[in-house]
Each structure stands twice: as C-alpha cells, then as structure tokens.
Amino acid sequence: MSDLLFTVRNQVARITLNRPGQMNAFSEEMIHSWIKALEEVRDSNDLRAVIISGNGRAFCSGGDIKAMARGDGFLDHNGENDYTSTALDRKNSLWKNVQRIPLLLQEIDIPVIAMLHGAAFGAGFDMALACDIRIAARSTNIAESYVKAGIVPGDGAAWFLPRLIGTDKALDLLWNGHVLTAEEAHQLGLITYVVDDHELESFTDQYVEKLIRGPKETMRFMKRAVYQSGKMDLRTSLDMISSAMGIITELDDYQEGVKALVEKRKPNFN
C-alpha cells in the first residue's frame, strides 16, 4: 500500500499520510509522493481546497527516528539511502526532498487545511504550520521535539514559529521540546480550531465545504495578499492590493456578490 494517498473529489484534494504503523513518520516514498501531489495541486486551475491528514493513530511523527538511528535517515542526492553521507550530502538531501514540501505549500494559493489528530511532532507539526488553517482533535498532542534527538528544526519551525507566536515562545518550545495539548497549542496561536475527537472529520468537511462555495479568484488574491504583505511596507502592499481589486471587479463573482447584497440573498459564486 502506498505511503501517501492522493485523491480529488468535488474540487477538494485530499493528501493522506499513510504509514500508520510508524505514526506516519516520513519515508522516501512518502516524501516523493507528497511533492508530486503538491505540484499537481499548485498547477491545477480546478481545485478549490486541500486537506492534509494522517491515517491511523497519529497525524505525523515527523522524521523516522529508527531510520536515523540506523544511519539511513537522510536521502542522498539520488534519492537513495546513504549510510556514509557527508554533511553536504545531508544538507542537500533536506533541500531537495523534505524541505520542498513547505516551499510548495507556500506556492499553493487555494486554502490548505491540516486536520490533526493523535500526535503531530517535529517535522510533522512543521508541515501543519506551513498550511493555512490547522484543525485539531481535542486529544491531539503537539511538540517541537527536535531537541530530544539532538538535531535542529530542519523543516521550517525556525521560520514559522516566531512569526506565529513570537521569538521567546518559539525558542521556549524548541529548547524544551514541550508536549502541548491541542488546547494549549490553540491558546498559543498554533492551532486555529480545536474540536471534539468524534467531530474532527465532520467539522473539517463542513469548514472546507463553506470555503469552496466562496468566490474562488477573490480568495486566491486574499491569500496572496496576506502572505506577500508580510514582506512589504504598507505602501507596496496597498499598491499590490489595488491591482488585485482592479482585476477582481471585472469578474462575474464580483457582479454576483454585489447583486446578492442588494437583493439581500446569499450569493451564488461560480
């Protein structure tokens, strides 16, 4: 059975990590399949949302620690396990394999939802941080656990965490490897919604269903504006969004939205 499942239904892509026996720890096949799936999502004009989840009792435990202990936890430049790799080989392995995932997630301009349950540890949680929205079951445990293995956060934590919760809290999590409950992570600002375990899938499906009924291109421009504005001064951001406004107001969804407001009804976007 494949280490990652990729399906599309009703304009929603679903990426499911599928190594339940290993708490969905990364494998070579999983990473390569994940990259391919995200590239397909990024390049599609038909999809409206993406849900990323894990099979079994966990979302994702991150890197395969048992593989690292054997010496084959990194992939060489040919995508093959290398027991005697150099420091440069290991750096290039991260860059050409697992680090492509957060970069691709940042290139996708439709909503990307992480649905968390069980455990989301280390790089597994970092992949969720690269998503737009994180919905967690109440029993989920979350940790930036790199320090316990004596390694640095190679998959985005050092970039995402301080932007979400500030430098001091980011360092506290990384230095101590605290295991957080879903509610604690929510209070810090790492989780968007916490729901009862039995409601996780239905809540996520309803949330996504509402999103895909929205004005598609407007929502794409909103996402681009939010992420890109973090790298701009106010004047540049306003200049960019005025260009987006000019384009959006020529589309059918704008006409439908204004008409629906005037008629006091729900809009029917394309």
Side-chain angles (χ1 to χ4, degrees):
M1 185 176 292
S2 174
D3 286 359
L4 182 138
L5 307 177
F6 177 55
T7 60
V8 175
R9 183 180 179 185
N10 297 331
Q11 296 182 297
V12 177
R14 293 178 182 269
I15 296 174
T16 306
L17 312 184
N18 193 42
R19 298 185 74 207
Q22 294 78 31
M23 295 179 65
N24 296 318
F26 298 157
S27 70
E28 177 184 351
E29 178 190 333
M30 178 189 287
I31 295 302
H32 292 173
S33 298
W34 203 342
I35 290 169
K36 183 177 179 181
L38 290 174
E39 288 175 339
E40 184 171 336
V41 170
R42 179 197 60 191
D43 297 337
S44 172
N45 291 321
D46 300 322
L47 294 174
R48 286 179 173 258
V50 189
I51 300 174
I52 300 177
S53 62
N55 266 344
R57 59 193 177 97
F59 172 71
C60 181
S61 60
D64 191 329
I65 299 299
K66 291 182 179 179
M68 292 181 186
R70 293 194 305 266
D72 61 347
F74 293 87
L75 305 177
D76 70 13
H77 63 281
N78 293 316
E80 299 174 354
N81 290 329
D82 184 355
Y83 292 81
T84 59
S85 61
T86 66
L88 181 59
D89 290 331
R90 293 191 291 275
K91 172 182 170 58
N92 288 338
S93 170
L94 285 170
W95 179 250
K96 295 180 179 181
N97 292 283
V98 70
Q99 288 182 344
R100 290 185 62 191
I101 294 172
L103 290 171
L104 283 166
L105 285 167
Q106 292 284 291
E107 292 178 7
I108 293 171
D109 60 5
I110 58 176
V112 182
I113 316 300
M115 185 171 71
L116 310 179
H117 77 287
F121 290 167
F125 185 54
D126 294 345
M127 297 310 162
L129 293 179
C131 299
D132 304 313
I133 302 292
R134 288 162 291 282
I135 302 172
R138 200 169 302 281
S139 64
T140 307
N141 288 318
I142 291 158
E144 292 289 0
S145 50
Y146 299 95
V147 70
K148 296 178 181 179
I151 56 176
V152 296
D155 305 290
W159 193 89
F160 290 109
L161 283 175
R163 285 166 170 78
L164 288 169
I165 61 175
T167 300
D168 58 337
K169 292 183 177 66
L171 287 172
D172 180 55
L173 288 180
L174 291 169
W175 283 343
N176 292 290
H178 297 306
V179 178
L180 305 176
T181 65
E183 189 57 45
E184 288 171 335
H186 174 66
Q187 291 174 4
L188 275 175
L190 295 171
I191 296 295
T192 317
Y193 295 100
V194 178
V195 300
D196 290 338
D197 289 25
H198 69 279
E199 295 179 345
L200 178 62
E201 289 192 24
S202 60
F203 181 93
T204 303
D205 287 344
Q206 291 169 16
Y207 184 86
V208 170
E209 180 63 29
K210 182 177 180 180
L211 291 182
I212 67 175
R213 291 199 300 266
K216 179 180 178 181
E217 297 304 329
T218 297
M219 293 174 67
R220 285 181 182 267
F221 274 109
M222 285 177 173
K223 179 171 176 176
R224 293 176 192 174
V226 167
Y227 283 108
Q228 293 174 17
S229 290
K231 306 172 185 177
M232 300 176 178
D233 58 39
L234 176 60
R235 181 177 296 276
T236 306
S237 177
L238 292 174
D239 186 50
M240 176 189 68
I241 204 68
S242 64
S243 299
M245 184 71 80
I247 295 170
I248 288 299
T249 51
E250 290 190 346
L251 302 181
D252 291 342
D253 280 344
Y254 166 73
Q255 301 297 331
E256 167 61 13
V258 172
K259 185 177 180 181
L261 286 173
V262 171
E263 298 175 356
K264 298 181 179 181
R265 60 172 175 82
K266 290 185 178 180
N268 182 23
F269 294 119
N270 293 324

